Amino acid sequence: MKELIHFKKQRELGDILSDTFKFLRLEYKPLFKALMRNAAIPFIILIAISAYFNTLISDFSELTSGNFDVSVILFSILGMFIALLFYYAILYGTILNYIKLYIQNDGNVNPHVLNTNVRNSLGNLTGLSFLSAMLLMAGFMLCILPGIYISVPLSLTFAILVFNNKSAVDAISDSFRLIKGEWWMTFATILVMGLLLYVANIVFSVPVIIYSLVKTFTSADQISQGDVSSMIDWVYITLNAISTAIQYILAGIYAIAIAFIYFNLNEKINQTGTFETIDSIGSDL
């Protein structure tokens, strides 16, 4: 019999973290297939733009000579920004819609229904991705603290949009209501998960770090003359692309954690899971 994880219940920080990785362990195969179907193309585009950007900045002599067209760099940054937001919209949309069907159908997720749900919510997901990014940038431009404060409720907006069929604007509005009185606990959970993923990202960045150190010693003469372009070659760009790709894939773990955080907060306020359990017991009797 398939082991099920019940999302609609209150959890402590440790339970959220352990259940996140437990769900990933139980569902990683069908979840990965779903991501391949929905997010593969945006993922490839994002990695390609990132690699292209690295090739641009590798020609340091051109950048400093004044002969380089700065607009190319600016358009590359803009393209990477747009691709990143669209990728995260699809990533979160796929994972959260997967969890939604998992809850509704006792662990059984129809891939065709999932694909349809992701496509239907893609417009709202993309709009939410851009709106959240704009709000975060505005918050951090005003001051660091407002940026940190709004980042916590904004992290829940994708879950609210998917699980409650909300619009992007309503999801943002509801996120601040949901976080009321629970900001510090939510912040702590997000911080711990973020630190775990940060450590994982560093581990997968080790080949890039080692290669950079080797190039630093072997290209010491060029670097001393101000030519840092010798540090960035096709090997560095390839290793960096692989490391970046793994980091973008690992971001899916954070999306799973957000689902558990959302249901924990929702249960504390609305006790949806508790009432559903009582109703199911009553119907069985």
Side-chain angles (χ1 to χ4, degrees), residues 207-262:
V208 181
I209 296 171
I210 294 175
Y211 185 76
S212 298
L213 291 174
V214 172
K215 289 290 289 184
T216 299
F217 288 108
T218 58
S219 306
D221 292 337
Q222 294 95 316
I223 295 172
S224 63
Q225 297 172 9
D227 182 16
V228 297
S229 61
S230 58
M231 290 283 296
I232 305 176
D233 55 15
W234 68 270
V235 177
Y236 173 86
I237 292 173
T238 301
L239 290 175
N240 190 64
I242 294 172
S243 174
T244 303
I246 294 173
Q247 291 176 21
Y248 289 144
I249 293 172
L250 290 177
I253 301 175
Y254 186 77
I256 298 172
I258 289 298
F260 281 108
I261 294 171
Y262 162 77

Side-chain angles (χ1 to χ4, degrees), residues 261-274:
I261 294 171
Y262 162 77
F263 281 112
N264 172 56
L265 295 174
N266 186 63
E267 195 62 26
K268 287 182 178 180
I269 296 174
N270 301 315
Q271 298 184 333
T272 307
T274 303

Side-chain angles (χ1 to χ4, degrees), residues 102-114:
Y102 177 94
I103 295 170
Q104 291 175 345
N105 301 297
D106 296 324
N108 298 310
V109 179
N110 186 311
H112 300 294
V113 176
L114 174 61

Side-chain angles (χ1 to χ4, degrees), residues 41-42 45 53-54 73 96 118 128 130 142 173 192-193 202 206 225 230 271:
I41 294 178
I45 292 173
F53 180 74
N54 281 329
I73 288 282
L96 294 174
V118 173
L128 178 58
F130 277 88
L142 290 172
S173 175
V192 173
M193 178 56 69
I202 290 178
V206 167
Q225 297 172 9
S230 58
Q271 298 184 333

Side-chain angles (χ1 to χ4, degrees), residues 77-91:
I77 294 174
L78 178 62
M80 192 157 54
F81 177 72
I82 294 173
L84 185 64
L85 293 183
F86 188 65
Y87 168 73
Y88 276 115
I90 296 242
L91 177 74

